[in-house]
Amino acid sequence: MTQEYIIAKEKYASIGIDTDKVIEKLKEVPVSLHCWQGDDVVGFDYKGALSGGIQTTGNYPGKATTPAELMSDIDKVLSLDGGKHKLNLHACYAIFEDGEWADRDALEPKHFAKWVEFAKERGMGIDFNPTFFSHPKANGLTLSSPNEEIRKFWVRHGQACLRISEYFANETGVPCVMNIWIPDGYKDIPADRFSPRARFAQSVDEILGIGYDKEKVYVALESKVFGIGLESYTVGSSEFGLGFALSRGITPLMDNGHYHPTEVVSDKISSMLLFSKKLALHVTRAVRWDSDHVIRLDDETKEIAKEIVASGRIDDIAIALDYFDASINRIAAWTIGLRNFRKALLIAMLTPHDELKKLQAEDRYTELMLKQEELKSYPWGAVWQEYCERCGVCGTEVWFDEVVKYENEVLSKRA
Ligand code: RNT
Ligand code: ZN
């Protein structure tokens, strides 16, 4: 224990916070690590351009192009963040062996056996995402397509993913969050907003219709306001996502890059929790658009973490990360974002929420503001260092040395 930690522990004790308990609690919060930061959302089944109105920018060398490389990179990231993790996979990361290949509608658990092995060895659960983009049948609408052949293809994909999700849960013993997000939408003003949404609802009903174990798989639906080339209309809007999820008893997923720029997810969490048993989040950073920048320890990130913790419902909230920056070292990008969200959770856990709530309820707004501001300079950094040390990871920026070494020894040797 460092002198800094001992001082910090006392300081927090004076406001009723037990830092040792917080450290133990933080270790147990599972953060779902998205595999797609490692290869710019390319995957292993189709090597074409990323589609679906999302975009990775930058050309930093050393991206993973094989399952072995991606797994090795994920391991590096995991070694740099203390605490529980889940692995968040997309269907396009299926691993085919011996020249075999299967299209999205024919994917089977066996195509993910390697990932299961990987996760089990590391004691992690797996979350899953059907991939409704970067595919020849995803040039236009997918689950909302008026073309029955195409719509059915994607329904079969969703069903295949549901079976794979159940397989993940069975194998790892940890429930799997299967998140449905479709890029469907129109660049310009549609004549018919209704029909695509009706078809989307029908399609998801057909996917869920095959039945699944609701204790093992939590199906989530991610909404979005717009995408590149899909500026005027997205089928899976916020109202659609919320209405559908609540009416079907599945989980709404909010990605904080998926709203109008002045809307904040931190303000939405409490409302959602009032009406939904569970809530799923994609934590990202949107800079002027849904740009998926690396998460920083900025105000909104901290506010999201605060709402999660202050709600008292952290166990009902599935936290996943969703960003992809190709302009800087990808391992560092991944790690910075992951550690930042973990830091935001720590800061939230070091906050005397009950006391602050009481000030609000008693209309003591001056004191509330004073306390909120003073808390900002409390020594959470010393608690963070102690947390990292107890988890066996580096508590300072020195972790970057590991990344430099990995870049020199591994990344720079990639084609
Ligand atoms: C896209 C959504 C979605 C994707 C991933 C790759 O806007 O945020 O979650 O980022 O599925
Ligand atoms: Zn997302």
Side-chain angles (χ1 to χ4, degrees):
M1 236 181 272
T2 59
Q3 201 55 36
E4 283 94 332
Y5 180 67
I6 293 165
I7 295 166
K9 191 174 152 66
E10 261 173 46
K11 179 90 173 154
Y12 280 107
S14 76
I15 53 166
I17 303 280
D18 182 333
T19 53
D20 289 326
K21 275 198 188 137
V22 166
I23 287 175
E24 287 314 305
K25 259 203 251 161
L26 184 59
K27 277 187 192 168
E28 292 310 310
V29 181
V31 177
S32 196
L33 185 69
H34 56 311
C35 72
W36 53 90
Q37 162 62 63
D39 75 333
D40 311 343
V41 211
V42 175
F44 305 129
D45 64 346
Y46 282 89
K47 290 283 175 181
L50 177 60
S51 80
I54 52 179
Q55 185 78 65
T56 313
T57 55
N59 204 10
Y60 199 88
K63 80 170 168 202
T65 56
T66 66
E69 288 176 354
L70 189 59
M71 285 177 184
S72 157
D73 292 358
I74 292 170
D75 264 337
K76 191 84 265 168
V77 177
L78 292 174
S79 76
L80 299 170
D81 176 62
K84 229 190 214 173
H85 303 100
K86 284 181 94 182
L87 176 63
N88 202 2
L89 296 176
H90 242 286
C92 61
Y93 290 82
I95 298 177
F96 303 112
E97 287 180 294
D98 309 321
E100 174 211 25
W101 183 81
D103 208 349
R104 302 260 170 95
D105 64 333
L107 288 172
E108 291 177 52
K110 68 173 183 194
H111 300 124
F112 293 88
K114 279 261 152 65
W115 284 116
V116 164
E117 199 183 306
F118 178 86
K120 275 168 128 178
E121 278 168 15
R122 287 151 188 80
M124 292 192 289
I126 304 177
D127 292 329
F128 201 42
N129 304 260
T131 311
F132 298 102
F133 53 85
S134 301
H135 186 282
K137 286 193 169 69
N139 286 328
L141 307 182
T142 64
L143 286 179
S144 72
S145 176
N147 177 325
E148 266 303 279
E149 204 186 302
I150 288 180
R151 191 184 71 79
K152 285 282 183 196
F153 173 86
W154 290 112
V155 167
R156 287 196 302 278
H157 175 56
Q159 294 170 336
C161 288
L162 201 48
R163 288 188 284 265
I164 294 162
S165 298
E166 216 167 70
Y167 157 74
F168 287 152
N170 285 331
E171 287 291 325
T172 62
V174 181
C176 169
V177 177
M178 185 186 99
N179 173 45
I180 297 175
W181 169 71
I182 57 163
D184 299 23
Y186 290 114
K187 180 186 172 83
D188 227 312
I189 303 164
D192 181 5
R193 289 187 158 88
F194 195 91
S195 303
R197 287 183 172 140
R199 285 190 296 264
F200 183 27
Q202 183 197 340
S203 296
V204 183
D205 280 334
E206 286 172 16
I207 292 170
L208 305 181
I210 62 166
Y212 62 102
D213 188 335
K214 298 196 170 85
E215 299 294 311
K216 291 180 179 163
V217 180
Y218 299 116
V219 176
L221 192 67
E222 179 179 11
S223 66
K224 187 164 178 174
V225 65
F226 86 99
I228 300 171
L230 309 158
E231 288 84 1
S232 299
Y233 169 80
T234 54
V235 179
S237 62
S238 174
E239 295 74 16
F240 180 97
L242 196 51
F244 188 91
L246 295 184
S247 63
R248 303 323 196 257
I250 64 166
T251 303
L253 187 147
M254 297 191 292
D255 176 315
N256 58 301
H258 289 192
Y259 299 87
H260 288 282
T262 59
E263 270 183 87
V264 281
V265 159
S266 55
D267 185 60
K268 301 176 189 292
I269 291 172
S270 46
S271 300
M272 302 290 263
L273 286 175
L274 271 178
F275 304 109
S276 186
K277 250 171 68 186
K278 298 226 173 258
L279 177 62
L281 298 175
H282 270 184
V283 185
T284 187
R285 181 164 58 102
V287 180
R288 306 196 191 282
W289 63 288
D290 181 32
S291 58
D292 290 294
H293 276 60
V294 176
I295 299 167
R296 290 204 180 225
L297 190 57
D298 56 17
D299 285 350
E300 175 57 4
T301 303
K302 284 188 271 190
E303 196 66 14
I304 288 173
K306 177 199 122 189
E307 288 298 315
I308 292 172
V309 172
S311 74
R313 297 262 307 269
I314 193 164
D315 293 338
D316 294 330
I317 304 172
I319 302 166
L321 310 181
D322 183 12
Y323 50 87
F324 26 98
D325 193 333
S327 74
I328 56 176
N329 179 301
R330 291 173 187 78
I331 313 290
W334 237 334
T335 307
I336 292 168
L338 174 59
R339 284 172 66 108
N340 273 342
F341 199 66
R342 187 85 66 185
K343 284 179 183 170
L345 286 171
L346 174 68
I347 293 168
M349 288 178 168
L350 291 171
T351 302
H353 296 291
D354 290 343
E355 188 195 327
L356 300 180
K357 286 176 188 174
K358 191 161 170 272
L359 292 177
Q360 175 182 316
E362 292 172 357
D363 298 341
R364 292 155 68 187
Y365 307 120
T366 312
E367 281 166 87
L368 176 57
M369 186 192 285
L370 162 89
K371 292 254 160 86
Q372 285 172 327
E373 289 307 303
E374 287 299 324
L375 277 165
K376 290 180 180 171
S377 50
Y378 268 50
W380 66 268
V383 184
W384 171 252
Q385 280 219 27
E386 181 68 19
Y387 171 79
C388 289
E389 258 149 53
R390 289 190 197 176
C391 292
V393 302
C394 184
T396 67
E397 64 273 26
V398 171
W399 64 261
F400 185 63
D401 293 354
E402 283 291 307
V403 176
V404 173
K405 195 166 156 245
Y406 188 74
E407 172 154 21
N408 291 336
E409 289 171 4
V410 181
L411 300 181
S412 66
K413 308 234 155 77
R414 288 180 185 167

